[in-house]
Amino acid sequence: MELPRRTRGDELLKPGELLGVRHRLRNIARQHDLTTVIAYAFDHRTRMLPFIYADMRMAPAGVRAIGSALLDCGFNKTRIVLQQWNRNFRPSQMRLDGRIPDLFLVSSMQIHSAQCEALIRDACRIDPVNRPLIIAGGPKTIYEPWGVFSADPLDPWGADVAVTGEEYVLLSLLEVLLSIRSSDESMRKTFIRARNSGMLDGIPGLVYALTDSDGVAQELVDTGIQRLVGDLDELPHPVLGYQLLEPPSRRTTLGAQALPPNRVRSYSPIGSLVLTFGCKFNCPYCPIPAYNQRQHRVKSGARIASEMVRLQREYGLRYFFGADDNFFNDEKRTLEIVETLAKTRSDNSRKRHRFRWGTEVTVHDTLKLQQHLPTVRKAGVRALWLGVEDMTATFVKKGQSVNNTTESFRLLQENGICPMPMMMHHDTQPLVSRGPKPYGLLNQARLMRKAGACSLQVLMMTPATGSKLYTGAFTSGIVYESVAGRRVESYMLDANYVVASEHKQPWKKQLNILAAYLYFYNPLRFLYGLVRPVSKMYLADSGMQLIGMWGLAQTFRRTIGWAFRLMRGNIHHKTAIPASRIPMRSADGPAPASHALPGTPQAGLVQLGVNSMAAAGAD
Ligand code: B12
Ligand code: SF4
């Protein structure tokens, strides 16, 4: 089930609204000496292909964006802790500026939910009087905000509020809280006052719990779908967030200082940057178009150039990854960006900049933009990830075909850009096929390699939260609950594990993924690549082979046991959609909450009791 769409014409913030809240907060920030810790939840069990290197060496843009927004508004006592680098970090022991922070923010993807919960639980160990206001956000809460609140009355823990949106939602929340906060009041206490008086209900993009006096969540109130910032130039500059990174360590506590600028590059040599958001396609397994309210949001070329130049100057960053859903989505906007970057200089010399970057595009749009690929290359693009899924479009159709795919790869290679295909393996796809059409997974891997693919991503078709196919996959009973006695856990939902299938021998699917990777990444290909690289960029090919072999070893180690379990059988299927067990309602009244999935208990009956508790000051 997709996120509901806001009323047409009301999907975006008005121009200048994000700038406005930033400006207003800057004026009041100095009256509130706030300290904030932002943690990125990361489950190390997810370390394998296809993103084995990028997962650790690219500080995530989401937490950096939130950090940048806080710093930009004047909250300079902010620190970003990445569990990738600080796996022992314990929120209950954190101190910043010598004190327990006022705000503890957690960001998580769905696959890192277990760590997200552990972080929140640990923060809840801080005694209620000193406890920071706990705010959860990121791709997990965007689709499943209830997941950060305990549904077990005997085991209460939970965030105070889940943000189902972006910077603007958080800043609006802070603006409301700071407008009523007295100087010596804790942010959590202020939050409870604001919540109980209904002051948060006018900020779309929040889900908060109404709790009883023991802190047990009785119902979740959903303020609806956020309005999105349309002009991404209004976002705070990403250069700010890099100042806030906690240095990697094995400690449970925080260091005295953030990572110095001259060491950022050694830990995070790739800078992920927001360039555009949204995609015009409508693939039923993808949540992205609905999340973006079918809007395409972009930064200007000038702004992107300024971001890259400053990041290079201040941190020495030269490699970037665009957090785009489909960078080539809109020809005019794409050209504006690449033409500007192609002319950009990093310094006063006459030489063009030396940034190198990559991002995601589609086969369809690559062909459409073929005559502009030389400019794309001049802009610094050296690798493009393409969602090929299945070249024969047997299962997934979005304008790709065998000829289109090979042609787009050829064009990219001709222009010195590495094509990086992303494939989706599905129940009806064999490992190898005979005949004129290359249905088989290996047939396609072979064709793509021949056409110049520098890397390969093979993921199993798995229901994604927020996609059209999501709920149907559960009601039709294809999603596994457990296999041979082992439960499917959230870290296994990364599409590397076969956790949803109608295949009679699903272990074959698991082994097929390994076989495709082994076919693509192996010592022979590495050696061959040294002599006759597939790419014009000589070392790119052998470098990718080395990373691929390392990633394959991890993928094998982590998923082979699952393949054996699948062989043993005893597969139990889920019958219900994973919905909130805590009743939910919309802030407008007992109407269904925007983020509630079918099967969520409807709040309303308990509403009166809880509201009166809330009014009496319970938290
Ligand atoms: C770049 C990217 C990657 C990169 C880097 C990820 C990273 N850690 O930086 C790489 C290539 C490594 C990657 C890997 C994967 N990715 Co990825 N990735 C993306 C992509 C395209 C951009 C992410 C990004 O930087 N966005 C820009 C930032 C600014 O946005 P953001 O992170 O959403 O943060 C904003 C809000 O969420 C919010 N927010 C975030 N945190 C917080 C915290 C608080 C407290 C608050 C208030 C707000 C808040 O405010 C932020 C600013 O606007 C997104 C899709 C997208 N367009 O967002 C998918 C996405 C994040 N990836 C996804 C997935 C599934 C994966 C993989 C599992 C794929 C796979 N099978 O291997 C792996 C996981 C690897 C791992 N072990 O973690 C999913 C996550 C789905 C979910 N519900 O959790 C996404 C959303 C794509 C999708 N399907 O919609 N990915
Ligand atoms: S083309 Fe890619 S980003 Fe666009 S809807 Fe399809 S899967 Fe999602």
Side-chain angles (χ1 to χ4, degrees), residues 326-367:
N326 177 10
F327 179 66
F328 288 166
N329 195 56
D330 178 307
E331 185 169 335
K332 202 167 139 234
R333 305 304 300 258
T334 308
L335 290 181
E336 193 273 322
I337 296 172
V338 291
E339 280 166 3
T340 310
L341 283 176
K343 287 185 271 179
T344 300
R345 312 261 175 277
S346 326
D347 46 37
N348 294 332
S349 75
R350 293 177 60 200
K351 284 196 204 133
R352 202 171 42 233
H353 70 78
R354 296 187 58 226
F355 314 131
R356 301 291 173 254
W357 58 285
T359 186
E360 286 188 31
V361 296
T362 56
V363 168
H364 173 89
D365 294 314
T366 305
L367 290 175

Side-chain angles (χ1 to χ4, degrees), residues 519-550:
Y519 172 82
F520 200 90
Y521 297 118
N522 58 63
L524 282 180
R525 229 182 258 293
F526 167 68
L527 292 174
Y528 192 71
L530 288 175
V531 195
R532 299 209 37 196
V534 69
S535 159
K536 281 187 184 168
M537 287 181 293
Y538 173 59
L539 283 177
D541 193 27
S542 28
M544 282 313 300
Q545 282 294 324
L546 280 180
I547 296 177
M549 286 189 284
W550 167 41

Side-chain angles (χ1 to χ4, degrees), residues 40 42 46 50-51 54-55 58 60-62 65-66 105-107 109-112 135-139 142-143 163 165-167 170 274 277 287-288 321 323-325 360 459 465 494:
Y40 182 82
F42 187 84
T46 62
F51 298 121
D55 55 0
M58 181 159 86
I66 294 300
L105 275 51
V106 190
S107 173
M109 281 194 203
Q110 182 194 33
I111 58 166
H112 303 306
I135 307 178
I142 283 172
Y143 302 105
V163 169
E166 303 176 355
E167 291 90 336
L170 176 70
V274 169
F277 277 125
I288 287 166
F321 184 76
D324 305 282
D325 303 312
E360 286 188 31
L459 294 174
T465 48
D494 64 355

Side-chain angles (χ1 to χ4, degrees), residues 110 144 146 465 470-471 474 574 576-581 597-598 600:
Q110 182 194 33
E144 299 177 310
W146 62 87
T465 48
Y470 186 67
T471 47
F474 290 91
K574 281 198 175 142
I577 300 159
S580 171
R581 282 160 52 208
L597 289 182
T600 305

Side-chain angles (χ1 to χ4, degrees), residues 140-425:
K140 163 78 184 167
T141 57
I142 283 172
Y143 302 105
E144 299 177 310
W146 62 87
V148 295
F149 303 97
S150 167
D152 182 356
L154 300 175
D155 181 21
W157 61 272
D160 294 299
V161 57
V163 169
T164 58
E166 303 176 355
E167 291 90 336
Y168 182 79
V169 180
L170 176 70
L171 297 185
S172 305
L173 169 67
L174 291 181
E175 188 181 23
V176 167
L177 298 186
L178 296 184
S179 71
I180 60 162
R181 180 179 183 237
S182 54
S183 55
D184 55 348
E185 191 179 43
S186 81
M187 279 299 277
R188 190 158 172 268
K189 220 166 162 196
T190 313
F191 168 83
I192 292 165
R193 281 200 298 124
R195 178 196 73 183
N196 293 353
S197 59
M199 289 178 80
L200 307 182
D201 296 353
I203 307 172
L206 301 176
V207 171
Y208 62 81
L210 290 179
T211 53
D212 65 15
S213 51
D214 297 323
V216 177
Q218 300 295 303
E219 65 176 39
L220 299 179
V221 179
D222 187 338
T223 64
I225 300 291
Q226 67 171 330
R227 281 191 195 87
L228 297 157
V229 58
D231 176 1
L232 301 182
D233 286 4
E234 287 194 29
L235 290 170
H237 205 289
V239 87
L240 299 174
Y242 278 108
Q243 297 172 23
L244 308 173
L245 296 172
E246 171 69 13
S249 89
R250 286 165 196 248
R251 283 194 307 264
T252 50
T253 52
L254 298 176
Q257 304 290 336
L259 191 65
N262 61 356
R263 286 178 60 211
V264 165
R265 187 175 68 166
S266 49
Y267 292 106
S268 178
I270 313 171
S272 52
L273 283 183
V274 169
L275 314 180
T276 70
F277 277 125
C279 174
K280 61 180 171 253
F281 291 97
N282 211 357
C283 305
Y285 53 84
C286 175
I288 287 166
Y291 170 75
N292 285 289
Q293 301 278 300
R294 324 263 158 205
Q295 307 293 313
H296 187 230
R297 308 183 280 148
V298 291
K299 268 185 191 159
S300 64
R303 168 64 187 253
I304 294 169
S306 111
E307 292 187 359
M308 290 186 179
V309 169
R310 274 191 71 186
L311 287 168
Q312 181 175 27
R313 254 186 229 152
E314 292 180 34
Y315 302 101
L317 296 183
R318 208 160 74 80
Y319 300 104
F320 299 102
F321 184 76
D324 305 282
D325 303 312
N326 177 10
F327 179 66
F328 288 166
N329 195 56
D330 178 307
E331 185 169 335
K332 202 167 139 234
R333 305 304 300 258
T334 308
L335 290 181
E336 193 273 322
I337 296 172
V338 291
E339 280 166 3
T340 310
L341 283 176
K343 287 185 271 179
T344 300
R345 312 261 175 277
S346 326
D347 46 37
N348 294 332
S349 75
R350 293 177 60 200
K351 284 196 204 133
R352 202 171 42 233
H353 70 78
R354 296 187 58 226
F355 314 131
R356 301 291 173 254
W357 58 285
T359 186
E360 286 188 31
V361 296
T362 56
V363 168
H364 173 89
D365 294 314
T366 305
L367 290 175
K368 243 176 90 188
L369 261 84
Q370 53 182 288
Q371 87 219 55
H372 303 293
L373 290 178
T375 318
V376 174
R377 155 102 188 172
K378 272 194 199 149
V381 174
R382 292 294 181 273
L384 287 174
W385 277 258
L386 299 107
V388 173
E389 326 304 3
D390 170 0
M391 285 171 104
T392 58
T394 309
F395 195 69
V396 172
K397 297 180 182 62
K398 53 182 188 191
Q400 84 280 35
S401 70
V402 177
N403 289 344
N404 282 355
T405 309
T406 44
E407 176 61 4
S408 62
F409 282 26
R410 191 188 61 73
L411 288 165
L412 288 175
Q413 277 295 4
E414 232 173 63
N415 285 284
I417 300 170
C418 292
M420 317 289 258
M422 305 189 285
M423 298 184 65
M424 219 176 249
H425 189 38

Side-chain angles (χ1 to χ4, degrees), residues 456-524:
L456 183 74
Q457 167 176 324
V458 184
L459 294 174
M460 183 69 195
M461 176 65 115
T462 306
T465 48
S467 66
K468 263 199 207 97
L469 297 180
Y470 186 67
T471 47
F474 290 91
T475 47
S476 63
I478 67 163
V479 183
Y480 301 165
E481 172 83 52
S482 66
V483 175
R486 192 169 149 204
R487 263 193 44 206
V488 173
E489 292 180 59
S490 51
Y491 77 90
M492 298 165 73
L493 302 177
D494 64 355
N496 279 306
Y497 295 84
V498 177
V499 294
S501 169
E502 290 177 294
H503 201 278
K504 287 202 173 66
Q505 293 170 310
W507 54 272
K508 284 192 176 164
K509 300 278 119 195
Q510 194 69 61
L511 295 182
N512 287 354
I513 296 174
L514 289 173
Y517 278 139
L518 183 62
Y519 172 82
F520 200 90
Y521 297 118
N522 58 63
L524 282 180

